[in-house]
Amino acid sequence: VSQSRYVVSQSRYRRVDDGLVTIELYTWNRQTKTKLILNFLHELGHHRGYILNGREIKDRIFRLNEVPDNELTMEQRKIMYKDEIKDYPNIIDIHHELGVRIPLWKVMVDIDHEKWMYYRWYKTGEFPSIKEEAKKGKKLVKKYKPVKENK
């Protein structure tokens, strides 16, 4: 068993490296702790999928990750989109298994937001604007956030 190490670098990402796989977490100014944890759950979901597949990454996915977005065909984006969303059930499992105190509805909002964002990228070759993302986020919060009952 190799010991994992957590390295905070001066660049835009945080890195976890177990000697076999590196997980990169992209951060930005004013990012909330909740969003950082949700991003980490997202990446752990991919890592769990990787482990469950016997630590095999499809060569085509690995190669496509090295190609700039604007050079990918729609067919290539579809392959990456499907690869991206297949590990989302792992996020929910990890959330439960670790007892993460972020409410499940926030995890579901994040998952659906990512699905929508990647689907849009797959279809158009462009990610949604910040304004479109905010609008979609509000709709998803409305969909998932529990309504308190008045007693």
Side-chain angles (χ1 to χ4, degrees), residues 38-61:
L38 289 171
N39 289 346
F40 191 47
L41 285 174
H42 174 100
E43 296 306 328
L44 284 175
H46 289 311
H47 189 64
R48 178 182 233 176
Y50 169 68
I51 291 169
L52 293 174
N53 287 330
R55 292 193 175 269
E56 291 180 21
I57 298 177
K58 294 176 183 161
D59 285 339
R60 65 182 177 178
I61 299 299

Side-chain angles (χ1 to χ4, degrees), residues 52-102:
L52 293 174
N53 287 330
R55 292 193 175 269
E56 291 180 21
I57 298 177
K58 294 176 183 161
D59 285 339
R60 65 182 177 178
I61 299 299
F62 184 74
R63 285 194 311 271
L64 289 176
N65 277 323
E66 301 300 317
V67 177
D69 283 353
N70 62 349
E71 295 178 15
L72 292 169
T73 66
M74 188 172 188
E75 183 179 316
Q76 291 170 323
R77 289 194 309 267
K78 183 177 182 178
I79 291 167
M80 292 184 73
Y81 165 73
K82 285 184 174 185
D83 186 67
E84 184 67 33
I85 66 170
K86 76 175 172 25
D87 293 326
Y88 286 155
N90 294 329
I91 297 170
I92 297 166
D93 293 343
I94 292 167
H95 175 270
H96 289 304
E97 289 170 13
L98 296 179
V100 176
R101 294 191 312 197
I102 295 172

Side-chain angles (χ1 to χ4, degrees), residues 2-149:
S2 64
Q3 186 177 7
S4 295
R5 63 182 188 267
Y6 181 70
V7 179
V8 179
S9 69
Q10 298 288 14
S11 61
R12 292 185 48 224
Y13 62 88
R14 296 176 183 203
R15 191 176 179 136
V16 178
D17 186 344
D18 71 356
L20 299 172
V21 171
T22 300
I23 297 175
E24 294 182 352
L25 296 174
Y26 292 88
T27 61
W28 54 91
N29 291 338
R30 303 179 82 193
Q31 181 184 33
T32 64
K33 291 176 189 174
T34 299
K35 185 60 182 165
L36 179 62
I37 293 167
L38 289 171
N39 289 346
F40 191 47
L41 285 174
H42 174 100
E43 296 306 328
L44 284 175
H46 289 311
H47 189 64
R48 178 182 233 176
Y50 169 68
I51 291 169
L52 293 174
N53 287 330
R55 292 193 175 269
E56 291 180 21
I57 298 177
K58 294 176 183 161
D59 285 339
R60 65 182 177 178
I61 299 299
F62 184 74
R63 285 194 311 271
L64 289 176
N65 277 323
E66 301 300 317
V67 177
D69 283 353
N70 62 349
E71 295 178 15
L72 292 169
T73 66
M74 188 172 188
E75 183 179 316
Q76 291 170 323
R77 289 194 309 267
K78 183 177 182 178
I79 291 167
M80 292 184 73
Y81 165 73
K82 285 184 174 185
D83 186 67
E84 184 67 33
I85 66 170
K86 76 175 172 25
D87 293 326
Y88 286 155
N90 294 329
I91 297 170
I92 297 166
D93 293 343
I94 292 167
H95 175 270
H96 289 304
E97 289 170 13
L98 296 179
V100 176
R101 294 191 312 197
I102 295 172
L104 183 59
W105 70 265
K106 288 187 178 186
V107 175
M108 296 306 299
V109 166
D110 194 61
I111 288 171
D112 273 10
H113 187 268
E114 292 278 329
K115 282 182 185 177
W116 167 78
M117 191 174 69
Y118 278 104
Y119 182 78
R120 174 82 174 269
W121 172 75
Y122 145 56
K123 287 293 192 180
T124 66
E126 294 181 6
F127 285 101
S129 69
I130 292 171
K131 191 174 184 178
E132 291 169 316
E133 283 192 48
K135 186 176 179 180
K136 183 66 174 182
K138 286 179 184 178
K139 286 182 182 178
L140 290 172
V141 166
K142 200 174 203 179
K143 175 181 176 181
Y144 285 108
K145 187 174 182 179
V147 178
K148 292 183 182 179
E149 294 183 35

